[in-house]
Amino acid sequence: MRQVNLRSVDLNLLVVLEKLLETRHVSVAATQLHMSQPAVSRALQRLRDALQDPLLVRIAGDYELTERAMEIQRLLPSALATIKDVIAKPEFDPTTAEETIRFSGPELELNLYGPPLLRRMKREAPAMKLEMKSDIRNQFEPLENGKAHFVLSGQTPTTATSQLHRFSLGRFSYVCLMSRNHPLAGKPVSLEDYLSQDHISVMITGAGHSIIDEKLAVLGHKRNVAVKIGSFFAAMHFCGQSDMLFLVPSIFDTQIYTGHNTVPSPVPDFLKDHHQEFFLYWHERYHHDPMIKWTRNLMKETTKQYRAGE
């Protein structure tokens, strides 16, 4: 097969070619294309040169298609339709969509934001599905390799940041979680109280709540972390079944606290300015995808109550 340099082909000529093959007449094609007859004649000559075939030949006073032209006429409609699909702006209708939206992130973020998103999505896009994978080893790798559309995370990426977009899902202060039977339950926790208790720490990045330990170190103190655990909700369960303290973002509702036999108390003064902000991240490759834009808007709606000024 002869190699074709597409850069030398004017795709506008294909529209003219389709009409010429249909009408088999330069003047009629020009009229239907709203072009001048000389312009269509020049286009025909360019097509003959590019395709190395006369395409239209005069026989007994009329123009007939060559064998090559008849083959092109058979293939051209689907080729033009494909080109239109490539160029046309993609559409997305959530009411009929059946796609799967893939999320990745730590267990906490997926559990906090997944259920309300699912409830809203099932109302507006009943046939769509959610896929949520918790992987804390490299939270943003699924965005880089295309295995996830979104990452939900309170962490900040360190690589490929120029290719990532994000918006805030809310910024939260902390509360001190403890068993409902704990002597400090429901009471403000002083620094002295805090230091006298054993603590649970979640190892999201392998180091637990290092910022808290750094704050204590500045004050010349150190807490006793009796349990380090890799699951946030397992840590809440441990807390409810022991006399240890556990710091959590204030986004949780009463139902979650009650389910783990825990209650929240105000944190010591040195932690009053300690906050956790969560973000929705996505990669540039999906930034203009209509399904992804729809999902982002849905996330904004479901988290609107947590974002100041909205």
Side-chain angles (χ1 to χ4, degrees):
M1 179 180 291
R2 181 172 66 92
Q3 295 296 315
V4 177
N5 183 1
L6 289 177
R7 289 181 296 179
S8 66
V9 179
D10 183 352
L11 294 181
N12 290 313
L13 292 176
L14 298 181
V15 178
V16 178
L17 176 59
E18 183 182 40
K19 189 59 66 176
L20 282 169
L21 299 182
E22 174 190 330
T23 63
R24 304 185 184 189
H25 200 287
V26 172
S27 297
V28 175
T31 300
Q32 294 186 11
L33 291 169
H34 304 289
M35 296 173 64
S36 68
Q37 183 174 332
V40 174
S41 294
R42 289 193 296 271
L44 176 57
Q45 187 56 53
R46 292 176 63 189
L47 285 162
R48 284 168 168 168
D49 293 340
L51 298 170
Q52 298 182 9
D53 188 273
L55 301 174
L56 295 173
V57 293
R58 188 179 291 276
I59 299 177
D62 294 321
Y63 281 102
E64 298 291 339
L65 303 184
T66 65
E67 289 293 327
R68 174 93 163 100
M70 287 189 283
E71 178 66 12
I72 291 174
Q73 189 178 40
R74 181 180 68 82
L75 298 173
L76 192 56
S78 61
L80 288 174
T82 299
I83 293 173
K84 289 176 183 178
D85 288 342
V86 170
I87 297 174
K89 182 179 180 180
E91 297 181 355
F92 174 74
D93 182 359
T95 62
T96 59
E98 298 181 357
E99 287 88 348
T100 297
I101 306 174
R102 303 187 305 274
F103 282 80
S104 184
E107 172 200 35
L108 172 60
E109 284 87 325
L110 295 181
N111 277 276
L112 285 176
Y113 295 104
L117 173 64
L118 179 62
R119 288 193 294 270
R120 185 71 176 265
M121 191 180 79
K122 297 309 287 185
R123 292 200 302 268
E124 300 188 22
M128 290 188 69
K129 303 173 183 63
L130 280 182
E131 179 182 286
M132 294 197 159
K133 293 184 178 180
S134 180
D135 187 351
I136 63 175
R137 291 169 297 177
N138 188 342
Q139 294 183 35
F140 300 96
E141 185 175 330
L143 290 184
E144 296 174 25
N145 60 28
K147 292 184 177 180
H149 295 116
F150 294 103
V151 161
L152 290 163
S153 180
Q155 304 296 311
T156 301
T158 57
T159 61
T161 54
S162 63
Q163 295 296 307
L164 299 184
H165 300 266
R166 76 177 189 180
F167 69 77
S168 175
L169 299 172
R171 187 170 182 265
F172 306 94
S173 59
Y174 272 77
V175 294
C176 196
L177 204 64
M178 62 192 72
S179 166
R180 296 172 62 186
N181 303 318
H182 198 287
L184 296 175
K187 303 175 184 177
V189 179
S190 67
L191 175 59
E192 181 179 0
D193 290 333
Y194 189 80
L195 294 173
S196 68
Q197 303 296 312
D198 291 334
H199 299 266
I200 302 172
S201 179
V202 173
M203 299 180 294
I204 294 178
T205 60
H209 289 289
S210 60
I211 295 178
I212 297 170
D213 296 314
E214 290 171 5
K215 287 177 176 287
L216 283 170
V218 170
L219 298 174
H221 299 295
K222 182 178 180 180
R223 63 177 178 164
N224 180 41
V225 178
V227 174
K228 289 185 178 182
I229 194 167
S231 166
F232 196 93
F233 287 92
M236 293 183 73
H237 181 71
F238 269 63
C239 183
Q241 304 302 315
S242 70
D243 59 357
M244 291 182 284
L245 305 185
F246 180 45
L247 291 177
V248 298
S250 57
I251 184 176
F252 291 106
D253 57 31
T254 303
Q255 183 177 358
I256 294 178
Y257 294 139
T258 302
H260 286 89
N261 192 43
T262 58
V263 293
S265 292
V267 296
D269 288 342
F270 84 97
L271 289 173
K272 295 289 188 184
D273 63 346
H274 185 55
H275 294 83
Q276 175 65 63
E277 189 168 13
F278 298 110
F279 296 93
L280 179 71
Y281 289 90
W282 64 96
H283 197 278
E284 173 64 24
R285 70 167 62 88
Y286 293 122
H287 186 59
H288 299 287
D289 185 291
M291 181 183 76
I292 301 307
K293 292 171 70 174
W294 175 82
T295 307
R296 295 200 305 262
N297 289 332
L298 207 63
M299 284 295 293
K300 286 181 179 179
E301 286 298 314
T302 60
T303 60
K304 188 175 182 179
Q305 60 181 312
Y306 301 124
R307 300 194 307 279
E310 294 190 19

